[in-house]
Amino acid sequence: MHASDFRPHRLLRNPHVQSMLASSGVRRLLFRRQRNSLSRGAVEHLVDCGDGVRLQGFHTPQDSLPHSRGLIVLLHGWEGSADSTYILQTGASLVRAGFDVFRLNFRDHGDTHHLNPGLFHSCLIDEVVGAVAAVNRLFPDQPLGVAGFSLGGNFALRVGLRAPAAQIPLKYVVAVCPVISPRNGLYSLETALPVYERYFLHKWRSSLKRKQALFPTTPMFDIKELRGNLRDLTRSLVLRHTGFITLEDYLDGYSLEGAALAQMRIPTTILTAADDPVIPISDFRALELSDMIELDVAEHGGHCGFIRDFSLRSWTEDYIAARMGEQLSRD
């Protein structure tokens, strides 16, 4: 299965339609039964990520085959969660295909704001690597894969880069529309349709207020800062909470531009769309890639959309299951 196989209905080719449908409430209602079946079989885990950090995840074992084909860790995007529609749908497809699934929540995502006192930011790669290592210890002796979406795709690629040194026996990484240049990604959110910046600002402000309420004795922001735009709020919180001196230093801290992926030693597929309105295709064209990485570019798909037709199923569900089946079965 390749990106060239994705041919959406002609009325669904608009990249903004694709992007907005990906997390739409309509899809959440349509696929409620499948989501419920995945959630009912899930067991919650609080994994020790090192340095006192705990992250929450949900493990769902497959029950269609005598033995699991492998364990797939799923990583959501910024201000998504382990219960985001695209994560649940992908998880359900993987379980049907005979894989066990572990849906990880990043810090301060889902219902996890109480677990750690510090705020989430995108340079917290060590705790995500620690979480994947902990999941592997919980469920050893299974082929291990990681798949992530958007910012989760960026994290998945960085986990892949660090897996050998962390002694994580990772066999395969799939990154769907991953953030490559955080500077360009921020600019795209600012200059694309206003709905994108409003969407993320609304969710982020709600998350920050929730975190502050849980840790009332630790001032986390000035209320005036919450009224700023995405760039100004990001800068304020970076300077307060990350140790970076400038916003630009922070953005560069999780960049995968240039030769950052040239040292990848884990088989990896990057799936993206040429019309993604959030992550510019030029970011991918400029990469220096390891020969372990396949860049698979669809003509259409928007940002993490890949909606095939009016059933509103995402083609990525089958893509990830098929690719994991191919890679994790190899010796």
Side-chain angles (χ1 to χ4, degrees), residues 61-84:
Q62 66 85 32
D63 58 5
S64 58
L65 299 175
H67 302 286
S68 172
R69 300 172 68 190
L71 173 64
I72 314 302
V73 179
L74 296 179
L75 304 178
H76 58 78
W78 182 44
E79 291 304 323
S81 77
D83 287 329
S84 290

Side-chain angles (χ1 to χ4, degrees), residues 18-149:
Q18 285 280 335
S19 304
M20 293 175 194
L21 282 175
S23 299
S24 71
V26 175
R27 291 188 73 225
R28 197 166 187 86
L29 287 172
L30 280 175
F31 304 121
R32 181 170 49 192
R33 181 178 299 177
Q34 295 96 315
R35 292 198 328 271
N36 289 345
S37 66
L38 184 74
S39 299
R40 276 197 301 269
V43 176
E44 179 187 8
H45 293 269
L46 295 180
V47 294
D48 181 355
C49 306
D51 295 327
V53 175
R54 296 181 300 160
L55 295 181
Q56 179 196 54
F58 300 91
H59 177 255
T60 304
Q62 66 85 32
D63 58 5
S64 58
L65 299 175
H67 302 286
S68 172
R69 300 172 68 190
L71 173 64
I72 314 302
V73 179
L74 296 179
L75 304 178
H76 58 78
W78 182 44
E79 291 304 323
S81 77
D83 287 329
S84 290
T85 299
Y86 56 92
I87 292 290
L88 290 168
Q89 287 301 109
T90 302
S93 293
L94 286 165
V95 167
R96 286 195 300 271
F99 293 97
D100 294 354
V101 169
F102 193 96
R103 295 173 288 123
L104 183 71
N105 267 320
F106 295 144
R107 180 192 294 230
D108 296 347
H109 289 71
D111 295 322
T112 70
H113 296 70
H114 62 289
L115 291 179
N116 304 284
L119 286 175
F120 170 83
H121 63 80
S122 299
C123 291
L124 293 175
I125 182 59
D126 288 345
E127 64 190 50
V128 178
V129 172
V132 175
V135 170
N136 180 65
R137 290 193 296 271
L138 281 170
F139 306 101
D141 305 321
Q142 288 194 69
L144 180 66
V146 171
F149 299 78

Side-chain angles (χ1 to χ4, degrees), residues 122-123 154 158 162 179-184 186 238 244 246-257 260:
S122 299
C123 291
N154 173 285
R158 286 184 286 158
R162 290 161 174 76
V179 176
I180 298 298
S181 167
R183 293 192 189 208
N184 290 346
L186 178 57
V238 162
F244 288 96
T246 68
L247 170 63
E248 290 69 28
D249 287 343
Y250 164 72
L251 295 174
D252 292 343
Y254 65 103
S255 171
L256 293 173
E257 294 173 276

Side-chain angles (χ1 to χ4, degrees), residues 19 77 148-155 157 174-180 269-281 284 295-296 298 300-306 316 320:
S19 304
F149 299 78
S150 193
L151 181 60
N154 173 285
F155 271 97
L157 292 170
V174 178
V176 179
C177 300
V179 176
I180 298 298
T269 295
I270 297 173
L271 172 67
T272 193
D275 64 355
D276 188 329
V278 176
I279 310 298
I281 190 60
F284 298 94
L295 176 60
D296 205 8
H300 303 287
H303 185 63
C304 296
F306 299 96
T316 56
I320 291 172

